[in-house]
Amino acid sequence: MFEIVFLGTSASAPSVERGLPATMVIYRDQRFLVDCGEGTQRQLLRSGLGFKRLDKVLLTHGHLDHILGLGGLVSTFARWEAIDRFTIYGGHWALERVRDLMNVVLRGGEPALDINYVEIAPGPIWSDETMSISAFPVAHRGPGCFGFVFQERTRRPFLAEKAEALGVPAGPERRRLVEGQAVEVAGGRIVYPDEVLGEPIPGPKLVYVGDAGRVDNLLEVAAGADALIIEATYLEVEAELAAQFGHITAAQAAGLASEAGVQCLFLVHISRRYSERMVLAEATPIFANTIVPRDLDQYRILRGHCEAGE
Protein backbone atom coordinates (compact mmCIF):
# COMPACT_ATOMS: atom_id res chain seq x y z
CA MET A 1 0.00 0.00 0.00
CA PHE A 2 1.12 3.53 -0.83
CA GLU A 3 -0.11 6.63 0.95
CA ILE A 4 -0.14 9.95 -0.87
CA VAL A 5 -0.56 13.42 0.59
CA PHE A 6 -1.13 16.26 -1.86
CA LEU A 7 0.76 19.23 -0.45
CA GLY A 8 0.46 21.57 -3.46
CA THR A 9 -1.82 21.17 -6.48
CA SER A 10 -1.68 24.51 -8.31
CA ALA A 11 -0.06 25.29 -11.65
CA SER A 12 2.79 27.81 -12.07
CA ALA A 13 1.59 30.20 -9.35
CA PRO A 14 -0.27 29.63 -6.09
CA SER A 15 -3.94 30.43 -5.67
CA VAL A 16 -5.86 31.12 -2.48
CA GLU A 17 -6.82 27.44 -2.21
CA ARG A 18 -3.84 25.71 -3.84
CA GLY A 19 -0.09 25.83 -3.28
CA LEU A 20 2.70 25.05 -5.71
CA PRO A 21 3.49 21.46 -6.74
CA ALA A 22 4.54 19.01 -4.03
CA THR A 23 3.31 15.53 -3.16
CA MET A 24 4.40 13.13 -0.44
CA VAL A 25 4.46 9.42 -1.25
CA ILE A 26 4.72 7.22 1.84
CA TYR A 27 5.60 3.54 1.81
CA ARG A 28 6.09 1.82 5.14
CA ASP A 29 8.90 3.76 6.87
CA GLN A 30 10.00 5.57 3.70
CA ARG A 31 8.96 9.05 2.60
CA PHE A 32 9.47 10.45 -0.89
CA LEU A 33 8.72 14.11 -1.62
CA VAL A 34 7.91 14.54 -5.30
CA ASP A 35 8.73 18.12 -6.33
CA CYS A 36 9.05 20.93 -3.83
CA GLY A 37 7.32 24.13 -4.81
CA GLU A 38 7.49 27.33 -2.81
CA GLY A 39 5.66 26.97 0.50
CA THR A 40 6.13 23.22 0.84
CA GLN A 41 7.61 23.56 4.33
CA ARG A 42 4.43 25.07 5.69
CA GLN A 43 2.29 22.47 3.95
CA LEU A 44 4.34 19.71 5.55
CA LEU A 45 3.58 21.20 8.94
CA ARG A 46 -0.10 21.82 8.19
CA SER A 47 -0.53 18.25 6.99
CA GLY A 48 0.86 16.84 10.22
CA LEU A 49 3.68 15.08 8.35
CA GLY A 50 6.42 17.33 9.67
CA PHE A 51 10.04 16.79 8.69
CA LYS A 52 10.77 13.41 10.26
CA ARG A 53 12.27 10.80 7.92
CA LEU A 54 12.13 13.25 5.02
CA ASP A 55 15.50 12.74 3.36
CA LYS A 56 14.62 12.09 -0.32
CA VAL A 57 13.19 14.38 -2.99
CA LEU A 58 12.31 13.31 -6.54
CA LEU A 59 12.17 16.13 -9.08
CA THR A 60 10.05 15.78 -12.21
CA HIS A 61 11.89 18.69 -13.87
CA GLY A 62 13.70 21.93 -13.14
CA HIS A 63 11.07 24.64 -13.57
CA LEU A 64 11.03 27.04 -10.65
CA ASP A 65 7.50 26.27 -9.49
CA HIS A 66 8.67 22.71 -8.83
CA ILE A 67 12.00 23.40 -7.07
CA LEU A 68 11.99 26.77 -5.27
CA GLY A 69 10.73 25.26 -2.02
CA LEU A 70 13.97 23.32 -1.71
CA GLY A 71 15.74 26.51 -0.67
CA GLY A 72 13.71 26.97 2.50
CA LEU A 73 13.53 23.26 3.25
CA VAL A 74 17.29 22.72 3.04
CA SER A 75 17.95 25.88 5.04
CA THR A 76 15.68 24.60 7.80
CA PHE A 77 17.30 21.19 7.78
CA ALA A 78 20.80 22.70 7.88
CA ARG A 79 20.01 24.97 10.82
CA TRP A 80 18.03 22.42 12.79
CA GLU A 81 20.41 19.60 11.94
CA ALA A 82 17.34 17.39 11.69
CA ILE A 83 19.05 15.02 9.27
CA ASP A 84 22.64 14.31 8.27
CA ARG A 85 22.12 13.53 4.59
CA PHE A 86 19.59 14.79 2.05
CA THR A 87 19.28 13.17 -1.39
CA ILE A 88 17.86 14.96 -4.42
CA TYR A 89 17.03 12.89 -7.52
CA GLY A 90 16.54 14.65 -10.84
CA GLY A 91 17.62 15.15 -14.41
CA HIS A 92 20.86 16.97 -15.24
CA TRP A 93 19.27 20.35 -15.93
CA ALA A 94 17.06 20.22 -12.84
CA LEU A 95 20.04 19.41 -10.61
CA GLU A 96 22.07 22.25 -12.15
CA ARG A 97 19.35 24.72 -11.17
CA VAL A 98 19.08 23.23 -7.69
CA ARG A 99 22.84 23.50 -7.18
CA ASP A 100 22.64 27.18 -8.16
CA LEU A 101 19.86 27.62 -5.62
CA MET A 102 21.86 25.87 -2.90
CA ASN A 103 24.88 28.07 -3.58
CA VAL A 104 22.71 30.99 -2.49
CA VAL A 105 20.90 29.28 0.39
CA LEU A 106 23.98 27.79 2.04
CA ARG A 107 26.22 30.82 1.60
CA GLY A 108 25.41 32.37 4.97
CA GLY A 109 27.30 30.05 7.28
CA GLU A 110 24.58 27.47 7.97
CA PRO A 111 25.88 24.22 9.43
CA ALA A 112 27.02 21.77 6.78
CA LEU A 113 24.39 19.44 5.38
CA ASP A 114 25.47 16.55 3.21
CA ILE A 115 23.41 17.00 0.02
CA ASN A 116 23.62 14.06 -2.35
CA TYR A 117 22.67 14.90 -5.94
CA VAL A 118 21.66 11.84 -7.96
CA GLU A 119 21.34 12.41 -11.70
CA ILE A 120 18.71 10.04 -13.00
CA ALA A 121 18.11 8.33 -16.32
CA PRO A 122 15.23 6.12 -17.46
CA GLY A 123 15.18 2.95 -15.37
CA PRO A 124 15.41 1.99 -11.68
CA ILE A 125 16.54 4.73 -9.29
CA TRP A 126 15.69 3.33 -5.82
CA SER A 127 14.66 0.00 -4.34
CA ASP A 128 14.52 -2.15 -1.24
CA GLU A 129 13.34 -5.70 -0.69
CA THR A 130 9.65 -4.81 -1.06
CA MET A 131 9.36 -1.82 -3.42
CA SER A 132 11.10 -0.14 -6.34
CA ILE A 133 11.01 3.28 -8.02
CA SER A 134 11.77 3.72 -11.72
CA ALA A 135 12.07 6.90 -13.76
CA PHE A 136 10.73 7.35 -17.28
CA PRO A 137 11.06 10.24 -19.76
CA VAL A 138 8.29 12.81 -20.10
CA ALA A 139 7.95 15.37 -22.89
CA HIS A 140 7.76 18.91 -21.52
CA ARG A 141 9.62 22.18 -22.01
CA GLY A 142 13.33 21.75 -21.45
CA PRO A 143 15.54 18.67 -21.11
CA GLY A 144 15.59 15.97 -18.47
CA CYS A 145 11.89 15.74 -17.56
CA PHE A 146 10.83 12.54 -15.80
CA GLY A 147 7.93 10.71 -14.24
CA PHE A 148 8.13 7.98 -11.64
CA VAL A 149 6.68 4.50 -11.17
CA PHE A 150 6.32 3.29 -7.58
CA GLN A 151 5.86 -0.47 -7.70
CA GLU A 152 5.42 -2.78 -4.73
CA ARG A 153 6.94 -6.16 -5.46
CA THR A 154 4.83 -9.23 -6.15
CA ARG A 155 4.45 -11.40 -3.07
CA ARG A 156 3.31 -14.93 -2.32
CA PRO A 157 1.26 -15.28 0.88
CA PHE A 158 2.44 -17.79 3.45
CA LEU A 159 -0.14 -20.55 3.97
CA ALA A 160 0.13 -21.20 7.70
CA GLU A 161 -2.36 -24.08 7.70
CA LYS A 162 -0.39 -25.98 5.06
CA ALA A 163 2.84 -25.32 6.94
CA GLU A 164 1.27 -26.63 10.13
CA ALA A 165 0.07 -29.79 8.38
CA LEU A 166 3.58 -30.40 7.02
CA GLY A 167 5.09 -30.01 10.46
CA VAL A 168 6.91 -26.73 9.88
CA PRO A 169 7.36 -25.11 13.31
CA ALA A 170 6.83 -21.40 13.86
CA GLY A 171 10.11 -19.49 13.74
CA PRO A 172 13.13 -19.31 11.45
CA GLU A 173 12.08 -22.30 9.32
CA ARG A 174 8.99 -20.46 8.13
CA ARG A 175 11.00 -17.31 7.45
CA ARG A 176 13.43 -19.27 5.28
CA LEU A 177 10.55 -20.75 3.31
CA VAL A 178 9.18 -17.26 2.65
CA GLU A 179 12.67 -16.28 1.45
CA GLY A 180 12.60 -19.17 -1.02
CA GLN A 181 14.69 -21.75 0.83
CA ALA A 182 13.74 -25.38 1.48
CA VAL A 183 13.83 -26.58 5.11
CA GLU A 184 14.09 -29.94 6.83
CA VAL A 185 11.44 -30.77 9.45
CA ALA A 186 11.16 -33.51 12.08
CA GLY A 187 11.46 -36.98 10.59
CA GLY A 188 13.87 -35.75 7.90
CA ARG A 189 11.27 -34.56 5.41
CA ILE A 190 12.24 -31.66 3.13
CA VAL A 191 9.57 -28.97 2.70
CA TYR A 192 9.84 -26.71 -0.33
CA PRO A 193 8.57 -23.13 -0.63
CA ASP A 194 5.99 -23.99 -3.30
CA GLU A 195 4.29 -26.29 -0.78
CA VAL A 196 3.51 -23.48 1.66
CA LEU A 197 3.30 -20.35 -0.52
CA GLY A 198 0.17 -19.20 -2.31
CA GLU A 199 -0.25 -17.80 -5.81
CA PRO A 200 1.69 -14.59 -6.59
CA ILE A 201 -0.16 -11.38 -5.73
CA PRO A 202 1.05 -8.28 -7.60
CA GLY A 203 1.64 -5.21 -5.48
CA PRO A 204 0.05 -1.82 -6.16
CA LYS A 205 1.47 0.41 -8.89
CA LEU A 206 1.50 4.21 -8.60
CA VAL A 207 2.51 6.32 -11.61
CA TYR A 208 3.43 9.97 -11.08
CA VAL A 209 3.71 12.39 -14.01
CA GLY A 210 4.54 16.06 -13.47
CA ASP A 211 4.13 18.53 -16.32
CA ALA A 212 3.66 16.85 -19.70
CA GLY A 213 3.23 18.03 -23.26
CA ARG A 214 1.87 14.76 -24.70
CA VAL A 215 0.36 11.49 -23.49
CA ASP A 216 0.84 9.03 -26.35
CA ASN A 217 4.33 8.18 -25.06
CA LEU A 218 2.99 7.47 -21.55
CA LEU A 219 0.54 4.71 -22.42
CA GLU A 220 2.91 1.80 -21.85
CA VAL A 221 4.29 3.03 -18.54
CA ALA A 222 0.81 3.89 -17.19
CA ALA A 223 -0.75 0.58 -18.25
CA GLY A 224 -2.56 -1.16 -15.42
CA ALA A 225 -1.62 1.40 -12.78
CA ASP A 226 -3.70 1.44 -9.63
CA ALA A 227 -3.28 5.22 -9.52
CA LEU A 228 -2.11 7.78 -12.06
CA ILE A 229 -1.22 11.29 -10.89
CA ILE A 230 -0.82 13.72 -13.78
CA GLU A 231 -1.25 17.37 -14.64
CA ALA A 232 -4.41 18.95 -16.05
CA THR A 233 -3.26 22.52 -16.54
CA TYR A 234 -5.67 23.32 -19.36
CA LEU A 235 -9.13 22.43 -20.63
CA GLU A 236 -9.87 21.46 -24.22
CA VAL A 237 -11.11 24.95 -25.05
CA GLU A 238 -7.47 26.03 -24.73
CA ALA A 239 -5.87 22.92 -26.25
CA GLU A 240 -3.75 24.96 -28.67
CA LEU A 241 -2.38 27.04 -25.81
CA ALA A 242 -1.66 23.89 -23.85
CA ALA A 243 0.37 22.47 -26.72
CA GLN A 244 2.22 25.76 -27.16
CA PHE A 245 3.42 25.70 -23.54
CA GLY A 246 4.09 21.98 -23.30
CA HIS A 247 1.06 21.03 -21.22
CA ILE A 248 -1.97 18.78 -21.61
CA THR A 249 -5.68 19.14 -21.03
CA ALA A 250 -7.93 17.37 -18.55
CA ALA A 251 -9.49 15.51 -21.48
CA GLN A 252 -6.08 14.25 -22.64
CA ALA A 253 -5.23 13.05 -19.14
CA ALA A 254 -8.57 11.27 -18.82
CA GLY A 255 -8.10 9.69 -22.26
CA LEU A 256 -4.74 8.33 -21.17
CA ALA A 257 -6.24 6.87 -17.99
CA SER A 258 -9.02 5.21 -19.94
CA GLU A 259 -6.77 3.74 -22.62
CA ALA A 260 -4.15 2.58 -20.09
CA GLY A 261 -6.71 0.85 -17.90
CA VAL A 262 -5.78 2.58 -14.66
CA GLN A 263 -7.96 2.33 -11.57
CA CYS A 264 -7.86 5.91 -10.25
CA LEU A 265 -6.90 9.19 -11.92
CA PHE A 266 -5.71 12.17 -9.86
CA LEU A 267 -5.53 15.49 -11.71
CA VAL A 268 -3.16 18.11 -10.32
CA HIS A 269 -1.31 21.25 -11.48
CA ILE A 270 -4.66 23.02 -11.74
CA SER A 271 -4.71 26.49 -13.29
CA ARG A 272 -6.25 29.34 -11.36
CA ARG A 273 -8.48 29.90 -14.40
CA TYR A 274 -10.46 26.73 -13.72
CA SER A 275 -12.52 25.45 -10.82
CA GLU A 276 -12.45 21.87 -9.61
CA ARG A 277 -15.96 21.48 -11.02
CA MET A 278 -14.88 22.58 -14.51
CA VAL A 279 -11.97 20.13 -14.57
CA LEU A 280 -14.15 17.25 -13.43
CA ALA A 281 -16.86 18.14 -15.95
CA GLU A 282 -14.36 17.65 -18.76
CA ALA A 283 -12.58 14.57 -17.43
CA THR A 284 -15.27 12.35 -15.86
CA PRO A 285 -17.27 11.64 -19.05
CA ILE A 286 -14.04 10.15 -20.43
CA PHE A 287 -12.81 8.46 -17.23
CA ALA A 288 -15.35 8.17 -14.44
CA ASN A 289 -12.99 7.53 -11.51
CA THR A 290 -11.32 10.93 -11.72
CA ILE A 291 -10.36 12.90 -8.62
CA VAL A 292 -9.20 16.51 -8.43
CA PRO A 293 -7.52 16.52 -5.01
CA ARG A 294 -7.31 19.61 -2.89
CA ASP A 295 -4.24 20.61 -0.93
CA LEU A 296 -3.68 18.36 2.10
CA ASP A 297 -6.00 15.62 0.79
CA GLN A 298 -4.74 12.12 1.59
CA TYR A 299 -5.34 8.82 -0.21
CA ARG A 300 -4.30 5.19 0.09
CA ILE A 301 -3.35 3.28 -3.04
CA LEU A 302 -4.04 -0.43 -2.85
CA ARG A 303 -4.10 -3.16 -5.45
CA GLY A 304 -7.22 -2.57 -7.52
CA HIS A 305 -8.52 0.56 -5.84
CA CYS A 306 -7.81 3.83 -4.07
CA GLU A 307 -9.46 5.17 -0.96
CA ALA A 308 -9.49 8.48 0.86
CA GLY A 309 -7.34 8.76 3.97
CA GLU A 310 -8.31 10.38 7.21
Side-chain angles (χ1 to χ4, degrees), residues 130-142:
T130 59
M131 191 268 285
S132 65
I133 305 174
S134 297
F136 58 89
V138 174
H140 183 47
R141 302 192 323 275

Side-chain angles (χ1 to χ4, degrees), residues 29 78 108 185 309:
D29 63 342
V185 298

Side-chain angles (χ1 to χ4, degrees), residues 110-128:
E110 288 84 352
L113 174 66
D114 183 8
I115 302 178
N116 182 31
Y117 299 95
V118 178
E119 185 173 334
I120 61 177
I125 62 171
W126 188 93
S127 66
D128 66 8

Side-chain angles (χ1 to χ4, degrees), residues 7-225:
L7 299 171
T9 57
S10 186
S12 302
S15 67
V16 173
E17 297 85 12
R18 299 180 184 274
L20 290 177
T23 303
M24 183 74 82
V25 178
I26 303 170
Y27 181 77
R28 297 190 177 185
D29 63 342
Q30 299 288 338
R31 291 183 170 190
F32 304 89
L33 180 62
V34 185
D35 288 334
C36 188
E38 180 184 354
T40 296
Q41 279 194 96
R42 187 164 183 267
Q43 295 296 80
L44 285 166
L45 296 172
R46 292 184 64 207
S47 69
L49 291 170
F51 302 133
K52 290 183 179 179
R53 293 183 281 112
L54 176 52
D55 59 357
K56 294 177 287 295
V57 175
L58 313 178
L59 299 178
T60 60
H61 62 295
H63 288 160
L64 294 180
D65 57 323
H66 292 254
I67 68 170
L68 272 181
L70 282 171
L73 187 63
V74 166
S75 177
T76 294
F77 282 174
R79 287 182 288 108
W80 284 4
E81 300 182 34
I83 58 173
D84 298 320
R85 185 177 178 84
F86 190 67
T87 302
I88 303 172
Y89 299 82
H92 179 77
W93 181 65
L95 294 184
E96 277 191 334
R97 302 197 88 186
V98 172
R99 284 190 176 96
D100 289 342
L101 178 61
M102 293 303 124
N103 286 338
V104 174
V105 170
L106 300 177
R107 186 179 293 170
E110 288 84 352
L113 174 66
D114 183 8
I115 302 178
N116 182 31
Y117 299 95
V118 178
E119 185 173 334
I120 61 177
I125 62 171
W126 188 93
S127 66
D128 66 8
E129 66 277 4
T130 59
M131 191 268 285
S132 65
I133 305 174
S134 297
F136 58 89
V138 174
H140 183 47
R141 302 192 323 275
C145 301
F146 291 95
F148 303 102
V149 177
F150 298 79
Q151 178 71 70
E152 186 177 74
R153 299 189 192 281
T154 297
R155 65 180 181 88
R156 298 181 67 183
F158 185 78
L159 307 176
E161 290 185 2
K162 285 194 174 183
E164 188 74 26
L166 291 169
V168 182
E173 289 86 357
R174 296 191 179 192
R175 184 172 63 251
R176 289 201 298 271
L177 284 164
V178 171
E179 293 170 350
Q181 305 173 42
V183 301
E184 183 178 344
V185 298
R189 177 173 178 177
I190 303 299
V191 178
Y192 296 93
D194 283 344
E195 297 181 83
V196 296
L197 298 179
E199 292 299 313
I201 301 175
K205 175 183 177 180
L206 165 64
V207 177
Y208 192 106
V209 180
D211 297 6
R214 50 187 283 208
V215 296
D216 59 294
N217 62 331
L218 302 176
L219 181 59
E220 182 177 353
V221 73

